[in-house]
Amino acid sequence: MASIEKDAEVLQKLIDESHHIVFFGGAGVSTESGIPDFRSQDGLYHQKYKYDPEVIISHDFFEENPKEFYRFYRDRMLYLDAKPNACHLYLAKLEEAHKLDAIVTQNIDGLHQLAGSKHVIEVHGSVHRNICERCGKVYSAEYIKEENKEEVPHCPSCGGIIKPDVVLYGEALNEMDVTKALVAISQADLLIVAGTSLVVYPAAGFINYFQGKHMVLINKDESQADSRADVVIHQKVGELFSLLKV
């Protein structure tokens, strides 16, 4: 494996030569902020719960057992003290320099916005939006975390159940967000794909729409798309981006 300094040099050169960069990120982007991913050895899918995590974060489970859903959700998916890491902060600066057109993220943590990024497409939603299923009133993640900690949160206005505005298993992605993501990716001259194993569809298929010059894949482990990239980097995302300059 190449040294992280050498990998950073290769990525820096591509960034310097590009004018319409799109960053497509997954859970590995936020692990260095203390948010666990799903599929690594320490990820959520290797945790021991009464139900399999993939079952718990499904639409059917939410409808049938909202109390158990919220017990897991509050415990394992709300990391409201997490701070942006070097990757989030670098991308915000790159956007400010008019080099980065968009961030397409599978993450629901809001750390890109907290770092200062404006053009963020959250294809799996956000923990920071929670919507009453009856009247549509929106509540913050802090409200969900603190209110009735052991119970299902209900809307004080109408009594309806509040649901996180995140895409659960069995739910379709928001069509408008998908369209924005695909347009951004199709117009990029450099696509940086980072921190994702590219196994969850339809998001994993987004890279099929890239028509630009260079695609870079950054992930600690190998992915099924490595052979399709111009550059493959096996490093921690935050550590790598801490070496880059705008």
Side-chain angles (χ1 to χ4, degrees):
M1 186 171 73
S3 71
I4 192 168
E5 290 79 13
K6 288 289 187 185
D7 285 333
E9 284 180 21
V10 172
L11 181 56
Q12 184 74 65
K13 186 173 186 295
L14 291 176
I15 289 172
D16 292 344
E17 294 172 350
S18 302
H19 303 284
H20 296 284
I21 302 169
V22 169
F23 181 88
F24 177 33
V29 173
S30 293
T31 52
E32 288 161 274
S33 293
I35 299 176
D37 63 5
F38 283 79
R39 288 177 171 79
S40 71
Q41 197 58 43
D42 299 320
L44 288 180
Y45 290 167
H46 293 275
Q47 305 290 330
K48 301 300 181 185
Y49 287 91
K50 184 178 178 182
Y51 302 91
D52 181 73
E54 201 164 30
V55 171
I56 296 175
I57 53 177
S58 69
H59 177 79
D60 287 346
F61 192 90
F62 174 80
E63 293 291 326
E64 294 164 7
N65 198 341
K67 185 173 181 178
E68 187 66 21
F69 169 89
Y70 266 110
R71 189 179 76 83
F72 176 87
Y73 181 78
R74 288 187 178 105
D75 184 38
R76 302 303 302 172
M77 298 185 74
L78 286 183
Y79 291 86
L80 304 186
D81 294 329
K83 298 292 188 290
N85 61 48
C87 176
H88 301 105
L89 297 171
Y90 178 82
L91 292 174
K93 292 177 183 176
L94 200 63
E95 180 188 86
E96 192 176 3
H98 305 291
K99 297 270 287 180
L100 181 74
D101 288 353
I103 294 169
V104 179
T105 181
Q106 299 174 78
N107 296 338
I108 58 176
D109 50 49
L111 290 181
H112 286 295
Q113 291 93 330
L114 192 58
S117 292
K118 303 290 192 295
H119 300 106
V120 184
I121 305 166
E122 297 172 308
V123 295
H124 289 161
S126 172
V127 298
H128 296 283
R129 295 185 302 272
N130 301 273
I131 303 171
C132 172
E133 293 194 301
R134 185 179 296 167
C135 73
K137 189 172 180 180
V138 180
Y139 294 88
S140 68
E142 288 77 13
Y143 180 87
I144 299 299
K145 183 86 171 176
E146 298 303 326
E147 287 292 317
N148 304 312
K149 284 189 175 182
E150 301 303 319
E151 299 297 331
V152 178
H154 286 79
C155 175
S157 299
C158 74
I161 292 178
I162 300 170
K163 179 187 177 296
D165 188 21
V166 300
V167 179
L168 304 177
Y169 285 104
E171 294 181 333
L173 302 188
N174 180 285
E175 287 187 18
M176 187 178 296
D177 290 334
V178 171
T179 298
K180 289 178 182 177
L182 297 183
V183 168
I185 288 171
S186 67
Q187 294 177 347
D189 56 5
L190 171 63
L191 177 63
I192 302 173
V193 183
T196 173
S197 54
L198 292 171
V199 296
V200 177
Y201 283 83
F206 286 6
I207 63 171
N208 296 332
Y209 290 80
F210 178 63
Q211 306 170 60
K213 292 181 181 178
H214 300 289
M215 180 165 68
V216 179
L217 256 59
I218 307 165
N219 206 36
K220 282 197 303 180
D221 305 310
E222 293 181 2
S223 83
Q224 60 188 21
D226 281 6
S227 61
R228 299 177 55 187
D230 301 278
V231 176
V232 177
I233 297 174
H234 294 305
Q235 305 285 358
K236 288 186 175 180
V237 181
E239 288 183 13
L240 179 69
F241 275 75
S242 71
L243 302 177
L244 300 177
K245 294 179 174 61
V246 176

